[in-house]
Amino acid sequence: MADPRVAAVPVAESGERLVDVRHDGRLLVDTRKQDPADAFAHLREGVLARLVTAQTLLPAGLRLLFVEGYRPPSLQRRYFEEYAGELRAAHPEWSADRIHSAASRYVSPPDIAPHSAGAAVDLTLADADGHELDLGTRMNADPEESAGACYTHAPGIGEEARAHRELLGGVLTAAGLVNYPTEWWHWSFGDRYWALATGRPTALYGPKELDPARNR
């Protein structure tokens, strides 16, 4: 996400609403990232529609497990600064630019973050009872903790985990989402990164504040 080409993509804001995915009822929703405002459960309407399409492409007995969608810009900024601080403490010899670049592998810079546009989702696969499948690492494992196994195409993960990643990626790609390759669980549609990855001239969604009165 630190690539300047991502930040350079202009946004032609569609004005599409943020909606609560729980009201749709067709996705399994995990509460590990629940926040007091329930922001985590929101996505742009077009992103939710594509997730529902992706779920129909899964084999019988498997479900998408939604973990986190929208993230307010202030929260995104806090996550980025906290992780950058961890890297700064671990590598005091690194320059500010290197800290920013390394932090951006795992947490998007606040000004371009797909989550803050309601365009990104962190999700995994589960069985019909909601039990998570093995995808090689825990969700949100950072590159340092996982020795790079969080990268979508990391070598060395088990055959079952590899097959599950390929299945997840296959249905989400078919529905029009793109993956951020340092995080197997992170997929997006309509944001700046999506536009760059798919050759679109503009992004559909920019950073947005959640208005509970209008978006629930």
Side-chain angles (χ1 to χ4, degrees):
M1 289 293 180
D3 190 327
R5 293 179 299 167
V6 177
V9 175
V11 176
E13 173 59 55
S14 71
E16 203 172 278
R17 294 189 307 149
L18 286 165
V19 294
D20 191 326
V21 303
R22 297 170 299 182
H23 294 171
D24 179 87
R26 287 176 286 182
L27 298 179
L28 290 175
V29 178
D30 186 283
T31 59
R32 75 187 76 171
K33 287 287 190 175
Q34 189 166 14
D35 57 283
D38 282 344
F40 86 105
H42 288 73
L43 286 175
R44 299 286 188 137
E45 289 177 297
V47 183
L48 174 57
R50 284 163 176 80
L51 291 184
V52 170
T53 295
Q55 183 158 270
T56 67
L57 303 175
L58 287 171
L62 295 184
R63 303 284 301 278
L64 295 177
L65 179 62
F66 175 101
V67 175
E68 186 178 20
Y70 175 71
R71 192 179 295 157
S74 59
L75 180 58
Q76 183 70 29
R77 187 173 302 108
R78 193 186 89 195
Y79 284 169
F80 186 85
E81 291 174 353
E82 286 176 352
Y83 186 50
E86 293 175 12
L87 292 174
R88 195 175 296 111
H91 304 283
E93 74 282 6
W94 284 7
S95 68
D97 285 346
R98 185 172 182 184
I99 292 291
H100 188 276
S101 179
S104 299
R105 292 179 305 167
Y106 180 59
V107 183
S108 297
D111 53 334
I112 60 170
H115 281 289
S116 295
V121 58
D122 293 342
L123 78 174
T124 187
L125 291 173
D127 62 21
D129 296 319
H131 300 128
E132 291 183 47
L133 303 188
D134 176 20
L135 275 88
T137 73
R138 72 175 184 89
M139 183 179 289
N140 291 320
D142 62 46
E144 289 72 32
E145 169 194 333
S146 67
C150 61
Y151 287 31
T152 305
H153 299 293
I157 64 171
E159 290 185 11
E160 183 178 51
R162 172 67 59 206
H164 290 157
R165 289 191 189 188
E166 290 177 354
L167 175 61
L168 180 67
V171 299
L172 292 170
T173 299
L177 286 85
V178 300
N179 173 241
Y180 186 53
T182 65
E183 301 176 351
W184 59 259
W185 57 85
H186 177 103
W187 292 79
S188 68
F189 171 86
D191 60 291
R192 284 183 165 110
Y193 182 79
W194 165 87
L196 181 65
T198 58
R200 266 67 168 190
T202 60
L204 304 177
Y205 312 132
K208 187 174 177 68
E209 295 293 341
L210 180 65
D211 180 351
R214 290 190 304 164
N215 295 313
R216 290 200 174 195

